[in-house]
Amino acid sequence: MRDDDTPTPQGDCGPNCTCGPPGRQSFTLSVPTRTPAPTASGTHSIEQAHIPAGTFLMGDSSGDRNPGDGETPVHAVRLDAFDIDATSVTNDAFAAFVDATGYRTEAEEFGFSAVFHLARTAPDTDVLGQAPSTPWWLGVKGADWRHPGGAGSSIDEIGDHPVVHVSHNDALAYCAWAGRMLPTEAQWEYAARGGLESRKYPWGDEEMDEGGWRVNIWQGTFPTVNTLDDGFLTTAPVRTFEPNGYGLWQPVGNVWEWCADWFDAGYYAVSPDENPGGPASGTSRVMRGGSFLCHISYCNRYRNSARSQNTPDSSMSNGGFRTVSGD
Ligand SMILES: [Ca+2]
Ligand SMILES: [Ca+2]
């Protein structure tokens, strides 16, 4: 249980706020020509966790759901067995893909990406604009997976951190090269739960700071003061804290993770019982798990059942992905 003085989670942080950054269209710029997805056969270097076939209760049982996100009704879902990345895809793994294919991410094609204001290294002249309802998100020229804070930043020392500034389309391009798939939303939640039923977090119901921090989120006053109690302002190495019962590291916190599904807040009421694959169409793709920007006063979407979404071409300094075995 929370302490009495802990603020009540605010499910809504502004118009259409999803805890992540606004979609790319919020930073109005020209639309580039897309780089075709590569079709070469690559090597996926991320350690695997095996998830056995089984049935689980999908959705929020804790009452901490965010109205409008569609975390209910709780419903039984049966899944076939699959393998999933034990960590999110790292900068080193993504670099191997780019080295082999010459792939250019959408952030590189558009020439900018969404950077959290305190993570910006680029000069003021590279700031293309602020998101209207979430001004701590900046469109930063030159921000991309190799330059997470824009000009002046690099990934030289953070090869074992999650790759960020990758769009859903970029993640699919990686998957095409690696012979992988993005997890369905149901696969993601089942794996994140680590074999525990109806718990709030991958480790159970204990809050994330009981017995030491268990997750990389935000401490302090969002979005201005981060007291860094967990040790990290932005990304942490993918093997930080403890893995869950299935061997997954940081399914919650650190970076949002793209899933395969289109987002629909009403989907749980109509989804199939077995191997649900999401709505047939939509405008935004599911993201799961929350990130280093989550804070209980602002966005408590670092829970197993929490849902978010963004347009498939959007990229951000707190968004990455992990993959699952293909058919
Ligand atoms: Ca942190
Ligand atoms: Ca995560």
Side-chain angles (χ1 to χ4, degrees):
M1 298 296 289
R2 291 191 197 92
D3 297 333
D4 288 343
D5 61 353
T6 302
T8 303
Q10 301 297 308
D12 223 3
C13 39
N16 304 314
C17 178
T18 59
C19 282
R24 189 174 299 275
Q25 72 282 0
S26 297
F27 306 100
T28 305
L29 290 166
S30 62
V31 177
T33 304
R34 286 290 305 124
T35 303
T39 56
S41 181
T43 301
H44 181 63
S45 60
I46 304 297
E47 178 191 348
Q48 296 299 295
H50 181 69
I51 312 299
T55 299
F56 79 109
L57 292 176
M58 186 171 184
D60 174 54
S61 302
S62 74
D64 281 354
R65 66 193 67 114
N66 287 295
D69 284 0
E71 295 185 51
T72 57
V74 174
H75 57 293
V77 169
R78 173 162 179 83
L79 293 177
D80 297 336
F82 59 100
D83 290 337
I84 189 168
D85 295 348
T87 71
S88 49
V89 173
T90 61
N91 284 320
D92 282 345
F94 199 79
F97 158 60
V98 170
D99 288 348
T101 62
Y103 182 79
R104 282 171 55 79
T105 59
E106 292 201 282
E108 291 166 289
E109 292 287 331
F110 280 95
F112 78 102
S113 190
V115 176
F116 180 66
H117 71 129
L118 296 184
R120 172 170 68 97
T121 57
D124 291 350
T125 49
D126 285 352
V127 177
L128 302 172
Q130 296 178 322
S133 59
T134 52
W136 46 89
W137 280 110
L138 308 175
V140 174
K141 182 178 149 190
D144 57 42
W145 72 277
R146 286 192 187 88
H147 308 93
S153 61
S154 81
I155 56 169
D156 288 350
E157 307 293 329
I158 55 171
D160 62 346
H161 285 223
V163 66
V164 294
H165 293 299
V166 283
S167 67
H168 191 272
N169 295 323
D170 297 329
L172 290 181
Y174 177 93
C175 287
W177 172 77
R180 305 286 293 181
M181 301 173 70
L182 287 176
T184 66
E185 188 172 12
Q187 286 177 319
W188 190 97
E189 185 171 322
Y190 183 45
R193 289 181 177 281
L196 301 175
E197 186 167 286
S198 299
R199 301 301 184 191
K200 202 185 322 186
Y201 305 116
W203 56 83
D205 283 335
E206 300 88 358
E207 286 304 327
M208 62 283 305
D209 58 348
E210 288 183 40
W213 280 92
R214 302 165 185 262
V215 60
N216 179 17
I217 57 173
W218 179 285
Q219 298 89 38
T221 306
F222 189 88
T224 52
V225 179
N226 191 326
T227 54
L228 304 181
D229 296 354
D230 63 32
F232 303 96
L233 174 64
T234 62
T235 55
V238 295
R239 282 182 179 73
T240 305
F241 309 108
E242 295 295 325
N244 74 4
Y246 286 148
L248 270 72
W249 298 77
Q250 299 182 98
V252 300
N254 213 22
V255 293
W256 285 102
E257 299 173 20
W258 289 111
C259 290
D261 305 29
W262 291 110
F263 177 79
D264 178 357
Y267 183 61
Y268 288 4
V270 298
S271 58
D273 297 338
E274 294 200 14
N275 300 308
S281 62
T283 57
S284 62
R285 295 288 189 176
V286 170
M287 304 189 84
R288 284 300 204 109
S291 80
F292 57 79
L293 292 183
C294 284
H295 183 269
I296 194 166
S297 72
Y298 159 63
C299 168
N300 69 345
R301 292 182 177 87
Y302 40 72
R303 295 170 293 104
N304 289 329
S305 65
R307 313 175 71 198
S308 190
Q309 36 84 24
N310 211 327
T311 56
D313 63 349
S314 291
S315 61
M316 61 221 77
S317 57
N318 65 340
F321 66 104
R322 76 178 75 210
T323 74
V324 296
S325 48
D327 291 331

